Amino acid sequence: MNPLDLSRLRPLLPSPLLPAGDERFARHGVRLLLKRDDLIHPDLPGNKWRKLAPNLAAAAGRPVLTFGGAYSNHLRATAAAGRLLGFATTGVVRGQELADRPLNPSLARCVADGMRLLFVDRATYRAKNDPDVLAAILRDAPDGSFVVPEGGSNELAVRGCAGLGRELRGAADVAAVACGTGGTLAGLAAGLAAGQRALGVPVLRGGFLGGEIRALQEAAFGGPAGDWSLDERFHFGGYARTSAALDAFADDFEARHGLAIERVYVAKLLYGLFRLTEEGAFPPGTTVAAVVTGQPSDAVSR
């Protein structure tokens, strides 16, 4: 296979690391930085780039098949990459019932970018990692399709996200990121230097991410890598759920810093860091880098 020239997309790397002067943190002796991964690429921002780039390099121009929900940012980013780099894409969408409905804006964008959509029932979607189920799905995809998992999180993606940690070496005591599938945190922790730690704020309920992160690090690095932890308290009821308190916090952060805040991931991360600071979880003199992984226009699914 011919290598794929990802440099044609001209990603902004390393992404900017900017101070966010905020008295709510400063009065506790905490310095807040924003790692603006949302600026890496307009169509593949944040962890979308870091996860997809190594997978696309491995695909080497072959058709790519991947998975997502009806509003999947990951599907949108994959479709955009296919359009920009000239390879075929197939998106397996959770929910057979959606096949007979008008496409929502997110799926319509995928189709406009050339992605073929395959709608499957929810039982099939849950079993998508079963070899027989996957083989049946692949029969409806172009020959030789390269499979990327839901959310893009696999060992290739985790190694790609280690670059985020390397960019933050020496810049912060704590590097914090919102977590969906756990791949970004798994790589971030591995890339940090000794003495730094990674903090994950899950945006889903369930308490399952620890095992997922350990499995991803085992696959990518052969075992545990880096110092990381999770704080499970700030999911606000589950994925894509919010509250008046979270919306008020995000609105206030936007007004203070002139930065539009994506609500599904980034708002929960920043709120969690604010609460932890208020609780005294960070000793005075701590520098915390919050990774801004998504844009406000991002849809609400992995």
Side-chain angles (χ1 to χ4, degrees):
M1 291 288 177
N2 295 322
L4 201 63
D5 184 9
L6 295 172
S7 67
R8 290 163 48 196
L9 298 183
R10 302 179 65 182
L12 178 61
L13 289 172
S15 60
L17 181 64
L18 304 175
D22 193 314
E23 73 275 10
R24 296 170 298 177
F25 292 82
R27 65 173 173 253
H28 296 279
V30 175
R31 181 176 180 234
L32 179 66
L33 306 176
L34 300 179
K35 179 64 168 165
R36 295 293 305 276
D37 265 22
D38 59 311
L39 301 178
I40 289 177
H41 191 277
D43 292 308
L44 289 81
N47 55 1
K48 313 297 186 303
W49 170 269
R50 297 190 189 274
K51 289 180 175 183
L52 270 177
N55 275 286
L56 299 183
R62 282 179 285 170
V64 170
L65 178 141
T66 193
F67 303 84
Y71 292 91
S72 174
N73 295 325
H74 171 67
L75 288 184
R76 289 168 56 201
T78 303
R83 169 177 57 83
L84 292 167
L85 294 171
F87 60 87
T89 57
T90 302
V92 181
V93 183
R94 180 179 59 241
Q96 179 63 49
E97 71 278 5
L98 300 174
D100 298 322
R101 299 179 186 174
L103 295 178
N104 65 38
S106 183
L107 294 179
R109 181 69 262 172
C110 290
V111 171
D113 281 339
M115 176 174 275
R116 181 185 175 216
L117 301 180
L118 295 178
F119 296 90
V120 299
D121 63 80
R122 293 170 189 271
T124 298
Y125 192 90
R126 286 193 297 271
K128 60 186 177 296
N129 294 325
D130 180 277
D132 292 335
V133 174
L134 180 58
I137 291 172
L138 284 169
R139 285 197 286 271
D140 289 327
D143 290 342
S145 288
F146 183 88
V147 178
V148 177
E150 180 182 27
S153 287
N154 58 11
E155 59 268 29
L156 292 173
V158 172
R159 293 186 197 119
C161 289
L164 170 60
R166 290 191 292 269
E167 290 177 23
L168 287 168
R169 286 184 178 180
D173 303 294
V174 178
V177 66
C179 299
T181 54
T184 303
L185 179 64
L188 168 63
L192 292 172
Q196 293 178 291
R197 66 182 177 96
L199 171 64
V201 175
V203 301
L204 299 89
R205 293 187 299 172
F208 60 88
L209 268 186
E212 296 286 339
I213 293 165
R214 286 187 286 271
L216 285 166
Q217 288 196 331
E218 178 69 32
F221 309 117
D227 180 4
W228 59 269
S229 61
L230 296 168
D231 195 312
E232 307 269 0
R233 296 179 293 158
F234 305 113
H235 53 70
F236 284 85
Y239 191 74
R241 295 193 178 183
T242 186
S243 72
L246 181 63
D247 286 334
F249 173 84
D251 288 342
D252 179 64
F253 198 95
E254 289 177 340
R256 288 171 183 260
H257 298 285
L259 172 66
I261 300 298
E262 187 270 330
R263 301 306 171 98
V264 177
Y265 289 91
V266 180
K268 293 180 180 182
L269 168 67
L270 294 171
Y271 181 87
L273 293 177
F274 165 69
R275 283 286 307 278
L276 286 165
T277 299
E278 292 282 302
E279 293 168 5
F282 305 122
T286 299
T287 297
V288 177
V291 183
V292 181
T293 52
Q295 300 170 335
S297 60
D298 279 356
V300 290
S301 185
R302 287 170 288 165

